[in-house]
Amino acid sequence: MKMLQQVPRNALAWIIISMFTLLAPHAGRIPVWIMLIYLFAALWRIQVYRGHWSFPGRWVKLVMIVSGFAGIYLSFGSLIGLEPTVALLLTAFALKLIELVSRKDAYVLIFLGYFVCITEFLFTQDLLMVLYSLLNVIIVTTALVALHQPGEHRFNRKTMRLAGVMVLQAMPLMLVLFFLFPRIGPLWTVPVKSHTAKTGMSDFMKPGDISKLSQSADVAFRVQFEGEIPVKSQLYWRGLVFSKLEEGAWSNLGYFDVPAKERRQQEVVTKGEPLNYSIIMEPTQQNWLFGLRYATPDRPGILAAPDFRLYSLVMIEDEFQYQVRSWPQAQLETELSDWRREVELRLPDNDNQRTRQFASTLRAQAGSDEAFVDAVLQHFNREPFVYTLQPPLLPDVDGMDVFMFDSRRGFCEHYAYAFTVMMRAAGIPARVVAGYQGGEINPVNKTVIVHQFDAHAWAEVWLPEEGWVRVDPTASVAPQRIEMGLEEAVAAEGTFLSDSPLSPLRYRSIRWINQLRLRYDALTYQWQSWVVGFDGQVQFQLLRDVFGEISAGRFAAALIGTWALVLLPVAISLLRRREIRPQRPLDREYLKVCERLANLGYPRQAGESAADYAARISRECPDWAESFNRLTGLYTELAYQTPVSAASEQQFHQALRQFRPRKGRER
Amino acid sequence: MLTEAQGGEGLRQRLRSRFRAWVNRRIPPARVVTLDQRRIFIFPSRAGFFFGLCLLLMLTTAINYQNNMSYALTFLLATLFIIAILHTYANLSGLTIRALRAQSAFPGQQAEFDIQVSRRKRRAHFALYLQWPDSTEALINLVDEDQVEVRLHAPVGRRGWYNPGRLLLESTYPLGLLRCWSWIDLDLCALVYPQPLVSAELPGLASDRPDGAAIPIAGSDDFYGFRDYRRGDSLRQVHWKGLAKGQGLQSKQYAAYADRSVWLDWDMFPGHSVEQRLSHLCYWALEFERLNEEYGLRIPDVQIQPGSGEKHRNEVLKTLALYGLPERQL
């Protein structure tokens, strides 16, 4: 079967195209040299095709494979993990192209291409990426089709049509299968994304960290409330609680920092109306989740930590959807344990002495804890403190002293830091809370879009009878930050998203761009809640709604029924094609006569010429001989005569009318 | 062990012959065959099974990463396979294969078989692979033209009708994941002539003249040599002068005799087996044809009047080829 093993040029072209379209979305997460290998491989294969170079020998291949492995090991530091695995796959894909000789190699390459397609989804399931991958599937399928079109010696765009049609036809079947196929848990543990950077809020905060995060226009999460959306100034999305201050940096208490009996969240007496909402988070590669206070999770796998934050047992590697119920008015931890009080009061020795001194003085003047809190906020408000996205760098030691008395320029974390230090110095349990504040309300679908630039830090103080109370010192310095958002707060400075000039958020003033952005965001939310949210549970619910009772019989019936609905029209359209009819009316007339004779039992044999047929008919049925011979003669004359004379045409039609073969007249 | 192996062999043989009988019933021999659902078989190809393995791998990826889009892509490819069944089938369906002609050949040569593949419906057919079990292969497309003629060559064996067997028409277009094929008996046989067997001279040359003499026409035919006298040589041929010189009894040989008609006779080769006789006769028929002489054939039950030319030659050779063989079943 040597003939079948050839790879047509068209197929080669499509394979090379698919290689690059498959590579493109991975470009950000693989080293540059892999892309160079792609160019090199394509060049080599094209040169082989043109006869300038030859296929690599066995040793060259071996060297390339080994150096590919070595390169990936050097670039990633290991071969384990999702990124190195994908990089290996991509490199193998490129190298396989160089030794693409026969159809068998092409199959390997094309199926590998489908697999590369799937690896992209492990990183993102973004709507645009899914559409792009669909295009990729069509391109790879086109290569597969082109592989089976021998003799296509030049690049043919039209090959894509059939592939596209087939993929579209497969689409409805796929949807049925998607909804019906039972979802089961992972079979074994798989390499995780080890080299994707953690994004968003970190569990370690130094002054300057949040202002850095606020440069990003990426979406952190989207929220859909069941009822009314609370006012923006109430949207404090708690993510991390920093109780530990060491060497000028805040961090949250680790699992083992907390004694066993303190690890459970204290009972909370709920009060007032709860808020119900669902959140879809973008992947962060971290474990903490966000919620309004006092947030209770809806499902196992999400823990409620003793400091009232939500914590996911698995790292958030993909978009993650969860439901939350919050009681904003609930009092948190009205009884403070000794251990907790001690932790929330602890300050590093000999650090920020001036600030602590200042706090003690202020506390003594204030008279009560509440008055002291107010006094500190007053201080921030009255003194010339500046809220800025570009705070000066502070020293690790005595940083707050520099901030409070010298620079007086800071972002939210500076104010929260200074405030908490002062509270603790005055003997009031206090801590820094980090998360996001506010969000953009999308009028299209009423979701709240929380961006990275909404990142915020504030403080919580513990007051007797009241428990933990939120205090946001930033509100005293820049109230518009809380009420309007960061953009307005730093408008005078002009630093909003100054590092991302292309972000559509910067062009919110242009109406249609903003409309487009919001519409796309609504679509993204819809997509995410559908794609991300569709798991075994949702599937079960959906199927029960559709089928009533779930049984194997109904499953099979649904599958077969819907598939038949799609496959039958496809089969009919494929098999019932238009017949090829002779174009000339002359041939049509003649063939009609032949058909009539065939019905009488004298069919024209395959390959029999008109003259031979006439001769045979004359022999077999002498009655018709004369008229049929005349007719045939005129037909052949007209068929091969140019130009056609009107006279013979008339004669032919006359002969047609005269020729009336009937059964009775035989012999 | 031996009996077991033989038993297995026997079983396989039986199965094979059962299958052949089934195919014969299902696709009876015909000069023109139009492919429809009775004649088309479809099954995943080797690449298709490989594809299935890849799909399993993709499915485990989707399950292990709990990734809905990976599920979707896996299912899309799986259903693409289902859709491909229809497309692959449609690539063969409706094609008409017509036996055109088979060229006669001598044993050990390649016979030419011409067949025509045509379509009735306006659809492009790609990568139609045609081959008889022992023949050369052909790969054709029906894209712009409605019919294509294909010539295949197959080595032929013994004299008589050579049936190349069932023609394999196969295609994996468009995706290569499924193999769609048909075994067609086109009822197309090539005539295999006897193997020409050289014999040094024609013993007892039978002429249509009663006296058995051949008359050379002076001037037009060339004398080309001598050979030892044999019984039956005409006395006119004897090289008397040579005999006088003591060279022994020799006959003169002439290149051609214009008007002479020769009978190639079964009885010229006494003592030879049937096949040998046929082979010798075949050789001489070709030889006379080459020399442009007229010759007739006289074998048991058949007599062909002397003549020459391609048509005559073919008739003679055909008679020789089919001698003693049962009538071809049509």
Side-chain angles (χ1 to χ4, degrees):
Chain A
M1 289 221 180
K2 241 190 241 155
M3 223 179 244
L4 286 175
Q5 283 299 327
Q6 287 166 2
V7 178
R9 182 196 267 195
N10 188 25
L12 187 63
W14 278 105
I15 288 173
I16 292 177
I17 290 174
S18 73
M19 260 180 64
F20 285 98
T21 55
L22 285 169
L23 176 71
H26 285 287
R29 60 182 82 91
I30 54 165
V32 178
W33 60 265
I34 292 186
M35 285 177 247
L36 294 180
I37 283 189
Y38 268 67
L39 288 174
F40 174 69
L43 176 74
W44 193 328
R45 190 59 188 79
I46 289 168
Q47 290 292 59
V48 168
Y49 182 84
R50 295 171 61 195
H52 295 327
W53 299 2
S54 59
F55 284 111
R58 199 193 307 164
W59 284 106
V60 179
K61 275 194 266 186
L62 196 69
V63 166
M64 287 197 291
I65 291 167
V66 169
S67 41
F69 266 89
I72 285 161
Y73 185 79
L74 290 177
S75 297
F76 288 96
S78 87
L79 290 175
I80 300 156
L82 194 57
E83 290 86 350
T85 310
V86 170
L88 270 180
L89 195 69
L90 286 168
T91 313
F93 193 55
L95 293 182
K96 184 74 194 167
L97 178 79
I98 304 180
E99 59 148 16
L100 168 62
V101 182
S102 68
R103 179 186 274 197
K104 238 193 285 172
D105 303 320
Y107 282 136
V108 173
L109 208 55
I110 286 169
F111 296 164
L112 210 56
Y114 284 131
F115 204 81
V116 169
C117 243
I118 239 178
T119 58
E120 180 55 36
F121 291 139
L122 304 183
F123 295 99
T124 170
Q125 300 190 69
D126 184 75
L127 181 58
L128 284 182
M129 188 48 67
V130 169
L131 292 177
Y132 180 76
S133 292
L134 185 64
L135 177 73
N136 265 342
V137 169
I138 293 177
I139 291 177
V140 176
T141 309
T142 307
L144 195 52
V145 171
L147 190 61
H148 299 92
Q149 293 184 337
E152 287 280 348
H153 292 313
R154 55 177 51 180
F155 174 67
N156 189 351
R157 272 181 301 124
K158 285 184 194 146
T159 317
M160 205 170 179
R161 233 196 85 161
L162 179 67
V165 165
M166 290 182 73
V167 168
L168 284 185
Q169 288 169 342
M171 224 38 142
L173 306 185
M174 178 274 280
L175 286 179
V176 174
L177 209 53
F178 181 84
F179 285 112
L180 292 186
F181 190 85
R183 296 297 197 273
I184 51 173
L187 304 173
W188 62 80
T189 46
V190 280
V192 292
K193 281 173 249 182
S194 50
H195 294 75
T196 306
K198 296 180 187 303
T199 52
M201 201 62 73
S202 152
D203 58 350
F204 178 86
M205 189 192 82
K206 278 173 91 162
D209 283 354
I210 293 187
S211 52
K212 231 176 273 162
L213 186 57
S214 291
Q215 302 289 345
S216 162
D218 292 343
V219 172
F221 52 88
R222 295 180 177 84
V223 191
Q224 179 112 55
F225 282 94
E226 263 173 33
E228 283 286 297
I229 303 173
V231 288
K232 252 188 191 177
S233 58
Q234 290 305 310
L235 296 177
Y236 278 87
W237 306 102
R238 298 170 91 252
L240 287 150
V241 175
F242 296 133
S243 301
K244 211 158 72 178
L245 177 61
E246 279 166 347
E247 291 165 18
W250 289 93
S251 57
N252 66 340
L253 293 169
Y255 184 77
F256 293 105
D257 292 338
V258 185
K261 65 175 166 52
E262 300 283 345
R263 281 182 195 153
R264 287 202 50 172
Q265 203 180 66
Q266 216 178 71
E267 279 300 314
V268 175
V269 182
T270 54
K271 215 160 77 177
E273 282 297 304
L275 290 167
N276 290 315
Y277 51 96
S278 83
I279 295 184
I280 300 179
M281 252 174 81
E282 294 291 318
T284 59
Q285 320 300 328
Q286 320 205 67
N287 294 66
W288 35 96
L289 305 174
F290 297 88
L292 299 173
R293 76 168 255 171
Y294 155 68
T296 52
D298 70 320
R299 62 156 135 179
I302 300 179
L303 297 184
D307 43 11
F308 306 100
R309 61 202 168 88
L310 300 177
Y311 186 88
S312 163
L313 286 175
V314 291
M315 205 194 267
I316 309 302
E317 287 195 300
D318 297 299
E319 284 98 356
F320 181 72
Q321 184 170 32
Y322 56 100
Q323 307 281 333
V324 190
R325 170 173 288 198
S326 290
W327 277 271
Q329 289 155 26
Q331 290 185 335
L332 302 180
E333 214 165 11
T334 42
E335 298 291 318
L336 206 60
S337 73
D338 293 342
W339 174 84
R340 178 61 72 178
R341 177 183 292 275
E342 197 264 312
V343 163
E344 308 290 10
L345 281 173
R346 196 182 294 158
L347 281 173
D349 300 329
N350 306 320
D351 197 16
N352 297 319
Q353 287 301 341
R354 271 176 80 189
T355 309
R356 288 161 76 167
Q357 195 60 50
F358 172 72
S360 307
T361 322
L362 213 57
R363 171 69 185 83
Q365 289 166 2
S368 73
D369 285 352
E370 283 89 344
F372 171 61
V373 169
D374 284 341
V376 172
L377 293 178
Q378 286 290 328
H379 176 75
F380 282 135
N381 185 254
R382 237 182 272 131
E383 297 297 314
F385 280 95
V386 178
Y387 180 70
T388 173
L389 253 173
Q390 292 164 328
L393 207 62
L394 298 176
D396 280 352
V397 179
D398 292 338
M400 280 306 108
D401 285 356
V402 175
F403 168 67
M404 285 294 290
F405 304 105
D406 299 331
S407 69
R408 295 194 166 183
R409 293 169 61 80
F411 201 57
C412 55
E413 69 267 35
H414 298 79
Y415 295 99
Y417 187 170
F419 180 83
T420 310
V421 167
M422 282 193 271
M423 290 299 127
R424 286 190 178 185
I428 304 172
R431 56 198 184 191
V432 175
V433 181
Y436 297 86
Q437 199 281 320
E440 181 187 17
I441 293 166
N442 187 346
V444 180
N445 61 349
K446 302 278 182 273
T447 52
V448 179
I449 312 163
V450 178
H451 295 96
Q452 294 296 357
F453 59 72
D454 291 316
H456 194 55
W458 59 95
E460 273 179 355
V461 292
W462 188 86
L463 300 174
E465 313 288 307
E466 291 182 63
W468 289 103
V469 175
R470 180 180 69 225
V471 183
D472 188 355
T474 306
S476 310
V477 184
Q480 59 281 39
R481 164 66 185 88
I482 309 307
E483 274 141 34
M484 315 280 286
L486 179 68
E487 190 178 9
E488 282 76 10
V490 295
E493 206 175 57
T495 47
F496 181 68
L497 296 183
S498 53
D499 289 352
S500 28
L502 288 178
S503 166
L505 277 160
R506 290 197 58 172
Y507 304 99
R508 276 192 281 193
S509 51
I510 304 171
R511 212 183 131 80
W512 67 269
I513 292 188
N514 201 35
Q515 277 295 320
L516 210 64
R517 180 182 68 86
L518 289 172
R519 275 189 192 285
Y520 178 65
D521 197 89
L523 200 64
T524 302
Y525 179 82
Q526 204 64 32
W527 175 253
Q528 286 185 346
S529 61
W530 186 79
V531 169
V532 174
F534 194 81
D535 54 9
Q537 232 175 331
V538 179
Q539 184 189 34
F540 188 76
Q541 195 61 45
L542 179 87
L543 294 183
R544 226 189 10 207
D545 289 350
V546 174
F547 295 124
E549 157 211 7
I550 297 176
S551 69
R554 289 191 183 192
F555 247 67
L559 193 69
I560 293 168
T562 44
W563 277 32
L565 223 59
V566 177
L567 288 174
L568 276 179
V570 171
I572 288 169
S573 79
L574 272 177
L575 299 176
R576 292 233 178 276
R577 294 262 168 157
R578 203 151 43 88
E579 297 237 348
I580 297 168
R581 294 216 167 267
Q583 295 301 306
R584 292 187 303 182
L586 174 75
D587 295 330
R588 228 176 294 149
E589 296 291 350
Y590 176 72
L591 286 179
K592 241 188 257 171
V593 173
C594 293
E595 210 172 305
R596 216 181 304 156
L597 284 173
N599 288 339
L600 294 171
Y602 299 97
R604 192 160 71 103
Q605 296 302 319
E608 196 172 29
S609 74
D612 289 347
Y613 185 41
R616 191 162 59 85
I617 292 290
S618 315
R619 262 198 322 276
E620 290 174 11
C621 330
D623 271 3
W624 305 337
E626 195 200 328
S627 53
F628 189 61
N629 272 331
R630 208 171 97 80
L631 185 110
T632 308
L634 283 163
Y635 166 69
T636 13
E637 189 188 328
L638 282 168
Y640 300 107
Q641 176 193 60
T642 42
V644 176
S645 77
S648 351
E649 213 165 333
Q650 217 169 357
Q651 282 176 341
F652 175 68
H653 282 107
Q654 199 183 347
L656 267 181
R657 277 194 299 278
Q658 281 168 2
F659 183 61
R660 291 263 168 262
R662 253 178 236 113
K663 258 218 161 93
R665 286 176 62 193
E666 286 169 48
R667 308 245 157 183
Chain B
M1 278 302 269
L2 196 66
T3 50
E4 205 170 274
Q6 279 171 336
E9 199 66 16
L11 184 69
R12 193 176 297 170
Q13 281 290 325
R14 268 213 308 282
L15 280 177
R16 197 167 293 168
S17 67
R18 282 279 287 277
F19 174 71
R20 210 170 291 147
W22 178 77
V23 170
N24 272 334
R25 270 201 311 278
R26 202 172 166 87
I27 316 175
R31 300 286 287 187
V32 182
V33 175
T34 298
L35 297 179
D36 55 20
Q37 74 276 9
R38 263 196 8 198
R39 298 179 169 90
I40 298 177
F41 306 97
I42 190 162
F43 199 69
S45 66
R46 196 177 292 210
F49 281 110
F50 181 42
F51 183 72
L53 261 176
C54 291
L55 283 185
L56 270 183
L57 193 65
M58 288 182 182
L59 188 64
T60 40
T61 307
I63 291 173
N64 282 339
Y65 281 96
Q66 299 280 297
N67 190 293
N68 268 329
M69 280 303 103
S70 299
Y71 271 118
L73 179 57
T74 308
F75 296 152
L76 182 66
L77 295 179
T79 49
L80 193 64
F81 185 90
I82 307 283
I83 291 289
I85 297 176
L86 296 178
H87 284 264
T88 313
Y89 175 82
N91 195 40
L92 281 200
S93 171
L95 284 178
T96 301
I97 295 89
R98 184 167 282 140
L100 293 181
R101 64 194 84 80
Q103 202 82 50
S104 312
F106 291 98
Q109 282 185 329
Q110 303 264 332
E112 281 175 13
F113 294 90
D114 289 336
I115 48 183
Q116 184 201 58
V117 182
S118 60
R119 61 176 179 185
R120 260 194 342 224
K121 312 232 168 135
R122 292 213 175 276
R123 98 184 309 282
H125 298 263
F126 280 98
L128 304 169
Y129 176 85
L130 296 132
Q131 194 191 26
W132 270 292
D134 298 320
S135 81
T136 52
E137 52 191 15
L139 193 60
I140 57 160
N141 294 339
L142 282 178
V143 183
D144 298 321
E145 52 288 277
D146 292 332
Q147 57 197 46
V148 169
E149 274 191 26
V150 186
R151 174 164 292 180
L152 296 174
H153 297 265
V156 294
R158 294 173 45 241
R159 77 176 170 93
W161 289 111
Y162 169 78
N163 186 333
R166 281 189 175 266
L167 175 74
L168 171 68
L169 173 55
E170 173 187 310
S171 167
T172 59
Y173 178 82
L175 297 189
L177 307 179
L178 293 134
R179 175 173 171 264
C180 196
W181 75 99
S182 184
W183 292 102
I184 313 159
D185 190 341
L186 276 181
D187 196 21
L188 185 62
C189 289
L191 188 62
V192 183
Y193 299 140
Q195 178 77 56
L197 202 58
V198 184
S199 54
E201 76 288 327
L202 208 46
L205 203 93
S207 168
D208 59 348
R209 309 214 174 211
D211 63 358
I215 303 166
I217 293 175
S220 64
D221 291 305
D222 300 327
F223 159 79
Y224 79 90
F226 300 99
R227 62 167 167 73
D228 287 345
Y229 177 81
R230 277 184 212 159
R231 283 177 68 120
D233 275 3
S234 162
L235 284 180
R236 288 165 188 246
Q237 271 178 276
V238 173
H239 184 39
W240 296 113
K241 281 181 187 167
L243 184 69
K245 286 179 189 165
Q247 284 167 338
L249 198 54
Q250 284 192 311
S251 297
K252 284 187 244 182
Q253 288 248 288
Y254 292 90
Y257 298 84
D259 262 320
R260 203 183 60 175
S261 347
V262 182
W263 281 101
L264 297 173
D265 202 314
W266 184 258
D267 298 327
M268 281 173 160
F269 305 94
H272 287 84
S273 72
V274 172
E275 292 304 319
Q276 274 176 331
R277 278 183 208 234
L278 291 169
S279 288
H280 284 308
L281 287 169
C282 177
Y283 170 78
W284 282 107
L286 291 172
E287 197 61 19
F288 281 112
E289 187 62 39
R290 192 173 64 79
L291 298 173
N292 222 356
E293 277 188 52
E294 291 199 346
Y295 54 98
L297 181 69
R298 203 182 284 142
I299 57 174
D301 303 331
V302 189
Q303 178 164 329
I304 297 174
Q305 288 302 315
S308 71
E310 197 173 336
K311 204 172 166 191
H312 177 71
R313 182 197 86 136
N314 289 350
E315 196 189 346
V316 169
L317 291 183
K318 182 176 178 181
T319 312
L320 290 173
L322 297 179
Y323 174 77
L325 295 178
E327 272 295 294
R328 184 176 161 229
Q329 305 263 313
L330 281 177

